Amino acid sequence: MENKDKNLYRLDELSDYKVASNYSDVRGWKIVDAENHTIGKIDNLWVNKDMQRVVYLDVKLDKKLIDDHRNEVRDVIANDNGKEFIYKEGDSHIIIPIGSVNINTDTKIVMANSIGYDTFRNTSRYNTQHNFDREYERRVMKSYYPENDPNYDSNDDAFYKRREFDNH
């Protein structure tokens, strides 16, 4: 059943949409943090249909980042009958606001300069089979931009408006 409130779509779901010719299609490119640690690969682009603009990068996390997190929470999950309650298998994707990255067209690398490795490692993830909801978006934005952070704006749409998809 089509959700009338749905406004975010994966670019590959929209047969009549494509990346504008003056922008780089970053799908398949590597994404790194400010210290050049690999975060993962850009799997898809999330488009706001009303704004006709890419608002999020859909990143498939690097296995090392997922393993680093698993090692860190192992003590915690041992107290829950050995069940991993942080992430289920397949929860390997995160969203990153397009406004928080810079795109290097020469190296074909996307840089998330303001968000560190630890933040990415602990950011809430989702499974591409189930997509994500508005609550997930809010949780992720709060992890990237804590309320005392000057980049944080409680107006949800501010994240969409922060920067166009034309950074180089």
Side-chain angles (χ1 to χ4, degrees), residues 30-104:
K30 181 165 84 166
I31 182 161
V32 298
D33 70 1
E35 276 84 50
N36 210 32
H37 297 117
T38 299
I39 303 307
K41 282 214 182 304
I42 297 165
D43 190 48
N44 219 323
L45 306 172
W46 284 95
V47 176
N48 178 311
K49 266 181 92 170
D50 288 348
M51 299 168 77
Q52 295 193 355
R53 192 163 75 195
V54 171
V55 291
Y56 293 123
L57 301 175
D58 176 359
V59 175
K60 180 167 184 7
L61 293 173
D62 187 67
K63 185 179 183 323
K64 181 179 180 337
L65 189 134
I66 292 171
D67 289 346
D68 282 353
H69 181 80
R70 282 200 182 119
N71 292 337
E72 188 175 283
V73 298
R74 195 160 278 140
D75 293 340
V76 177
I77 60 177
N79 297 327
D80 191 39
N81 298 325
K83 289 190 298 239
E84 183 171 0
F85 60 85
I86 306 291
Y87 299 119
K88 295 184 285 298
E89 203 56 47
D91 289 356
S92 60
H93 285 247
I94 60 171
I95 57 172
I96 301 176
I98 192 68
S100 63
V101 302
N102 290 312
I103 297 166
N104 186 325

Side-chain angles (χ1 to χ4, degrees), residues 8 12 25 27-28 40 49-50 56 61 78-79 85 88-89 93-94 98 111 116 119 142 146 153 155 162 166 168:
L8 290 180
D12 63 9
D25 185 345
R27 289 176 288 184
K49 266 181 92 170
D50 288 348
Y56 293 123
L61 293 173
N79 297 327
F85 60 85
K88 295 184 285 298
E89 203 56 47
H93 285 247
I94 60 171
I98 192 68
M111 294 155 290
T119 301
K142 210 166 186 114
D153 188 328
N155 173 3
R162 194 156 276 148
D166 62 349
H168 298 291

Side-chain angles (χ1 to χ4, degrees), residues 131-162:
N131 290 338
F132 59 84
D133 57 17
R134 195 73 174 129
E135 187 50 42
Y136 171 79
E137 281 184 85
R138 286 193 181 100
R139 224 171 33 248
V140 170
M141 291 310 114
K142 210 166 186 114
S143 75
Y144 292 157
Y145 307 106
E147 290 184 43
N148 58 353
D149 184 308
N151 291 314
Y152 179 82
D153 188 328
S154 59
N155 173 3
D156 293 328
D157 292 332
F159 297 110
Y160 301 144
K161 297 173 183 156
R162 194 156 276 148

Side-chain angles (χ1 to χ4, degrees), residues 3-17:
N3 179 354
K4 289 192 178 78
D5 295 329
K6 182 176 177 178
N7 195 34
L8 290 180
Y9 295 84
R10 284 189 185 97
L11 185 60
D12 63 9
E13 291 182 286
L14 303 170
S15 57
D16 51 342
Y17 281 67

